[in-house]
Amino acid sequence: MSFYFVIIGTKDNPLYEAEFGTWKQGGDGVARFRDEQRHLNQFIAHSSLDLLEELQWAGTGGSMYLKCIERFAGTAGGGSGGVVGVAGGVNGAGAGGVWVSVFLTAGNIKFVLLHDTRADEPIRQFFYDVYELYTKTLMNPFYSVDMEVRSAVFDGRVRAGVKKYL
Amino acid sequence: MSATKAARMGEEVWKTRIDKVNAELVTLTYGSIVAQLCKDYEGDYLEVNKQLDKMGYNIGLRLIEDYLAKTAPQRCVNFRETAEMIARVGFKIFLNITPTVANWTSDNKQFSLVFEENPLGDFVELPDDGRAQNELWYSNLLCGVLRGALEMVQMQVDAHFVSDTLRGNETTEMRVSLVRYIDDELPQSED
Amino acid sequence: MERSNTDSFRHSQYLPFSPTTSSHPSTPLAQKHASLPIPTPTTASSLSGSASTLRYSQSRKTIYDRHLNRSKGAELSKASFAFLFGEMVQYAQKRVSGIQDLEKKLNAHGYSVGQRLLELLVWREGRSGKRETRVLGILQFITNTLWRAIYNKPADALEKSRDHEDEYMISDNDPMVNTYISVPKEMNQLNCAAFQAGIIEAVLDSCMFPARVTAHSVPNETWPGKTVFLIKFEQVVLDREAEFIS
């Protein structure tokens, strides 16, 4: 299981991004994305923001955790490497589909996680941990909304969260 | 007044005569001020320190009145008593903290205030630009406050930080020295 | 209204996802998506640029070690806030060219406080924290949760304008900072209120209910310090509300 995680600010700018592999079932925590997938991760995360914007205003106020809002099927077989359309609906075919789960903070900062297996509750816990980390970052007067998060300590804690839940 | 009596007075006044406000609001407000200064002075932290000290000084000139109004006016017999009052009453009734008085010089004219906690610095991490941690004294306002307040009660002091946990030091310590007792001078508000 | 603080003493903060997104406020996302070229890969790690030079004390450790609830409910003296605020005003006054400019600066300070208080308060709600999607919801969050956190009591009134669809008013009979001795002369009402308006505006903007918030002094016999915060929502908010109703 590999994950791509990105924190996106209010101007759709990335504040933090990282790749993780799972620690479960003997995993070593190293992400294993095929090269194309890696290039696609950013694209997928970004394009899911469209759907996110629709979803976040649906209903009378809801959860900050929006699980599995989208599923992107991977490219079939050897990979075309070129432009990949949003190929929703083509299932599996051994090409590694990707789920997108999102967490929205009160101030509309988006935590976007791309994962290849569903794991709702652990992901929710991971997101809440990151929310705590983000809030601590924001409480610092020298950090402003929409700034990149560059702290090595932050990065370490996020990775610790991955190890703990994912 | 003995240290224990001072401590008791501090507690008493804090509990009964002080209108209170959310501490985090103060922390965030102070943070906004410091961040603004850093922006205005374009990262010239030494200048920011000066500004904070000036602001503190202006506050101190007025704060002393508030302090005297709320506490039983006590003539401190010596500088050692003054130190205890500052730590156990002054800081207590304004910031709800009690720094430790320590490291007296043998002539009793210099001491340190060691801060276990500092609400002004909560949540703060200095900018990672290779300079802030070497140049900025984040809570420098407090030095100015002491200077201004004591000047109004006829003491000219120097106060400056010598260490700060925000800078990676193990303690946050302010050094206070008595320069001289003042007779009959009116301080000017510092612009 | 552009709000983000570009700290001049830090180098560029934005890693553009695509050439179109980094420099201007959010445009409708659908358009952005359609024109998106293939992004160039960035490093997988978040740590671009030079390594950190920050030192941490053993005793205090880092901001990430401190529990966010440690100072919850903690109090300081109102005097401390008032003195600090007075100096904030004094300092700002030297750098502005008029009362409106001054109020803008105070609003900006309040804004900065509001952005942080928002996330802190919602985080503290934990699992029951929710995202507000309706105007009434966010206003109630402000008059209840936010007001209680700052002033220890809810706001005194929340009203909707009868004449203007986009206007609401929050009243406070006795705004905190007016009520006590040793008030510095800079501490007049409108200044404090501009700061408070900034807090409210930050919460609204951050939750995607963009609005202008202004403070008005409306003294009466019982409440000489009464202040009304006028909230004027942008059209996008009204349009969204209308869709909810239909």
Side-chain angles (χ1 to χ4, degrees):
Chain A
M1 253 203 288
S2 295
F3 306 92
Y4 170 74
F5 177 62
V6 59
I7 297 182
I8 301 177
T10 66
K11 297 179 168 44
D12 293 345
N13 50 318
L15 310 181
Y16 170 88
E17 59 183 327
E19 292 177 351
F20 315 109
T22 185
W23 289 90
K24 301 237 179 312
Q25 288 153 2
D28 58 6
V30 177
R32 283 174 177 79
F33 283 113
R34 285 160 42 236
D35 278 338
E36 292 144 10
Q37 188 66 51
R38 188 165 275 145
H39 297 185
L40 286 175
N41 286 338
Q42 272 197 334
F43 183 81
I44 292 171
H46 189 87
S47 48
S48 69
L49 294 181
D50 277 352
L51 178 60
L52 174 64
E53 187 164 353
E54 269 175 61
L55 290 177
Q56 77 180 95
W57 297 108
T60 50
S63 162
M64 297 186 277
Y65 174 39
L66 300 167
K67 51 186 125 167
C68 299
I69 64 170
E70 251 185 328
R71 179 152 210 254
F72 288 79
T75 55
S80 46
V83 182
V84 176
V86 174
V90 176
N91 241 327
V98 161
W99 289 100
V100 180
S101 289
V102 180
F103 183 95
L104 278 175
T105 74
N108 245 266
I109 304 298
K110 306 164 253 289
F111 302 161
V112 181
L113 184 72
L114 269 56
H115 49 107
D116 45 26
T117 324
R118 283 195 76 137
D120 292 348
E121 191 51 33
I123 289 177
R124 178 207 294 271
Q125 289 174 316
F126 170 70
F127 276 149
Y128 268 94
D129 260 25
V130 178
Y131 190 23
E132 181 172 345
L133 294 170
Y134 174 75
T135 304
K136 285 176 176 174
T137 308
L138 181 61
M139 287 299 280
N140 182 10
F142 294 108
Y143 175 86
S144 308
V145 172
D146 287 336
M147 267 171 71
E148 265 185 62
V149 182
R150 294 208 174 130
S151 161
V153 182
F154 178 89
D155 181 61
R157 299 299 157 97
V158 173
R159 287 177 190 279
V162 173
K163 192 165 178 178
K164 188 168 167 193
Y165 300 112
L166 306 174
Chain B
M1 180 185 277
S2 74
T4 16
K5 263 203 188 152
R8 230 179 289 144
M9 188 209 270
E11 270 296 332
E12 180 65 31
V13 175
W14 168 255
K15 281 202 188 106
T16 59
R17 278 187 251 169
I18 304 294
D19 286 333
K20 304 196 181 55
V21 78
N22 178 330
E24 289 164 344
L25 177 67
V26 183
T27 304
L28 289 174
T29 304
Y30 185 71
S32 185
I33 292 173
V34 180
Q36 186 63 52
L37 284 175
C38 290
K39 222 176 284 173
D40 289 345
Y41 289 100
E42 289 167 334
D44 181 351
Y45 296 120
L46 300 179
E47 197 50 50
V48 174
N49 291 338
K50 275 200 205 130
Q51 279 302 311
L52 286 173
D53 184 81
K54 255 191 222 171
M55 286 179 163
Y57 179 78
N58 292 337
I59 290 177
L61 297 179
R62 290 192 288 237
L63 178 138
I64 188 70
E65 263 181 60
D66 209 37
Y67 170 86
L68 292 172
K70 287 173 176 148
T71 63
Q74 288 284 328
R75 255 261 97 116
C76 288
V77 169
N78 54 42
F79 199 51
R80 288 191 81 108
E81 266 191 37
T82 307
E84 293 296 338
M85 291 301 281
I86 292 170
R88 293 173 195 266
V89 185
F91 275 98
K92 178 67 184 174
I93 70 177
F94 289 107
L95 294 180
N96 197 21
I97 53 173
T98 319
T100 314
V101 177
N103 301 340
W104 280 101
T105 50
S106 50
D107 59 4
N108 285 333
K109 285 197 178 159
Q110 262 191 57
F111 66 95
S112 287
L113 285 171
V114 182
F115 294 86
E116 273 298 308
E117 341 163 45
N118 174 13
L120 296 184
D122 285 345
F123 309 111
V124 179
E125 187 175 87
L126 296 186
D128 189 2
D129 57 8
R131 289 184 307 112
Q133 276 198 320
N134 295 329
E135 295 171 15
L136 179 66
W137 292 112
Y138 185 82
S139 306
N140 217 37
L141 188 103
L142 299 177
C143 298
V145 174
L146 266 188
R147 201 163 57 85
L150 290 175
E151 194 171 300
M152 289 296 274
V153 286
Q154 316 314 112
M155 279 174 265
Q156 187 185 341
V157 301
D158 171 73
H160 63 272
F161 279 101
V162 296
S163 71
D164 190 347
T165 52
L166 291 179
R167 284 182 156 202
N169 305 128
E170 284 315 303
T171 58
T172 300
E173 184 174 329
M174 186 200 295
R175 196 89 188 125
V176 184
S177 343
L178 176 65
V179 175
R180 65 190 181 98
Y181 287 99
I182 310 167
D183 322 292
D184 292 321
E185 276 174 44
L186 288 172
Q188 302 277 320
S189 173
E190 280 185 9
D191 283 324
Chain C
M1 203 186 283
E2 182 67 340
R3 279 299 177 183
S4 69
N5 289 323
T6 40
D7 296 347
S8 55
F9 59 92
R10 288 188 74 123
H11 50 289
S12 162
Q13 315 89 325
Y14 298 141
L15 254 185
F17 241 140
S18 82
T20 54
T21 56
S22 60
S23 49
H24 39 264
S26 294
T27 55
L29 288 171
Q31 292 172 5
K32 263 192 285 218
H33 181 190
S35 65
L36 202 65
I38 301 293
T40 48
T42 58
T43 53
S45 157
S46 61
L47 305 174
S48 49
S50 50
S52 164
T53 58
L54 283 182
R55 303 181 293 265
Y56 299 107
S57 84
Q58 287 300 332
S59 49
R60 189 194 186 244
K61 310 228 169 104
T62 72
I63 52 176
Y64 297 106
D65 295 301
R66 190 176 190 277
H67 201 287
L68 269 179
N69 281 336
R70 186 154 152 216
S71 47
K72 181 177 179 184
E75 294 177 312
L76 301 185
S77 73
K78 265 191 200 174
S80 299
F81 178 80
F83 285 123
L84 205 55
F85 190 85
E87 275 313 299
M88 179 198 282
V89 174
Q90 276 272 54
Y91 176 76
Q93 258 171 348
K94 286 185 216 133
R95 304 176 86 94
V96 299
S97 47
I99 194 95
Q100 268 201 332
D101 225 16
L102 176 64
E103 288 188 355
K104 257 199 216 156
K105 288 217 176 238
L106 297 176
N107 181 299
H109 277 294
Y111 202 91
S112 157
V113 171
Q115 285 177 318
R116 290 165 173 78
L117 224 40
L118 167 68
E119 296 283 17
L120 184 66
L121 293 176
V122 174
W123 177 84
R124 283 183 174 157
E125 292 183 341
R127 290 286 177 107
S128 45
K130 70 176 201 150
R131 274 180 315 106
E132 297 297 343
T133 51
R134 303 296 301 274
V135 166
L136 199 56
I138 190 63
L139 289 176
Q140 284 175 335
F141 172 81
I142 292 172
T143 54
N144 258 304
T145 311
L146 182 72
W147 230 260
R148 270 181 223 271
I150 303 176
Y151 311 118
N152 237 355
K153 63 172 178 76
D156 292 305
L158 169 64
E159 296 160 290
K160 185 180 188 332
S161 162
R162 256 166 281 189
D163 308 314
H164 302 279
E165 191 60 38
D166 57 350
E167 286 183 1
Y168 290 77
M169 289 150 297
I170 297 178
S171 310
D172 196 323
N173 292 330
D174 196 14
M176 164 196 44
V177 284
N178 294 340
T179 56
Y180 80 109
I181 53 164
S182 311
V183 177
K185 59 173 160 31
E186 302 76 30
M187 195 68 142
N188 78 65
Q189 253 169 275
L190 243 18
N191 288 337
C192 297
F195 178 80
Q196 293 174 26
I199 296 181
I200 299 171
E201 206 172 301
V203 172
L204 291 172
D205 281 355
S206 304
C207 295
M208 310 264 276
F209 291 87
R212 286 281 336 267
V213 184
T214 49
H216 305 268
S217 196
V218 290
N220 60 39
E221 266 176 38
T222 344
W223 303 110
K226 181 169 174 179
T227 310
V228 163
F229 297 94
L230 181 63
I231 299 168
K232 198 174 175 67
F233 286 109
E234 283 180 22
Q235 191 58 39
V236 58
V237 178
L238 302 176
D239 295 341
R240 210 166 54 210
E241 273 297 292
E243 273 188 45
F244 270 114
I245 299 169
S246 62

